[in-house]
Amino acid sequence: MTTTPNNNWAAEMKRNTLHLAYWTFAWTASMALATFGPLMIWDNQTATISGVILNFALGVGMIMANKRHINGLDEMQKKIQLEAMAISLGVGIVTGLSYSLLDVTNVIAVDAEISHLVILIGLTYAVAILIGRIRYK
């Protein structure tokens, strides 16, 4: 079997996607450990701080893996990613600040939780990627 530039690009893209998946899984697992460890596993502040530091370090690794993944995409995929990230950022900032204002001014009965904002940003990003792929098909 001969190696062509397309095969090399496809193999690199597959490797970058797998690395991003590994980093994302590790970061998510460390988030669960840092969240539930103090509640269910240990009663030690040093362990909790260590869990948060580990989560932060894995988050930085995930960001770098995502950057590498995006740099390996073709121009059309980069455009779709950029537009989805821009929409997600805008929705997150505008909605998050409005949500926070509703909480601060006691218009809503519940506390504004960051998890609600993270879910909104994730769903917005997923929908924007889907719409981008359909639009540029």
Side-chain angles (χ1 to χ4, degrees):
M1 181 174 180
T2 61
T3 305
T4 64
N6 279 343
N7 286 345
N8 288 339
W9 178 79
E12 183 178 334
M13 190 167 147
K14 183 178 179 181
R15 189 182 70 233
N16 288 341
T17 301
L18 281 173
H19 284 159
L20 178 58
Y22 296 146
W23 279 102
T24 302
F25 176 79
W27 177 76
T28 304
S30 72
M31 176 66 79
L33 184 66
T35 301
F36 298 113
L39 300 174
M40 304 165 94
I41 301 173
W42 62 75
D43 185 19
N44 180 329
Q45 193 169 17
T46 301
T48 300
I49 292 170
S50 297
V52 172
I53 290 171
L54 174 66
N55 176 257
F56 182 81
L58 290 171
V60 171
M62 182 181 69
I63 291 168
M64 298 310 296
N66 193 32
K67 182 178 179 289
R68 191 175 319 110
H69 171 72
I70 289 172
N71 283 339
L73 297 175
D74 66 23
E75 294 305 316
M76 184 60 66
Q77 291 170 330
K78 285 181 183 176
K79 180 174 178 58
I80 292 170
Q81 289 284 331
L82 180 64
E83 288 180 2
M85 288 179 188
I87 291 168
S88 300
L89 177 65
V91 168
I93 289 174
V94 170
T95 305
L97 290 175
S98 296
Y99 187 44
S100 177
L101 281 173
L102 291 173
D103 181 27
V104 169
T105 56
N106 293 322
V107 173
I108 57 175
V110 297
D111 289 333
E113 297 288 338
I114 190 71
S115 60
H116 300 152
L117 189 60
V118 171
I119 291 169
L120 175 68
I121 291 171
L123 291 175
T124 302
Y125 175 75
V127 170
I129 288 289
L130 182 66
I131 290 171
R133 286 188 178 175
I134 290 170
R135 185 183 331 156
Y136 296 115
K137 202 174 191 180

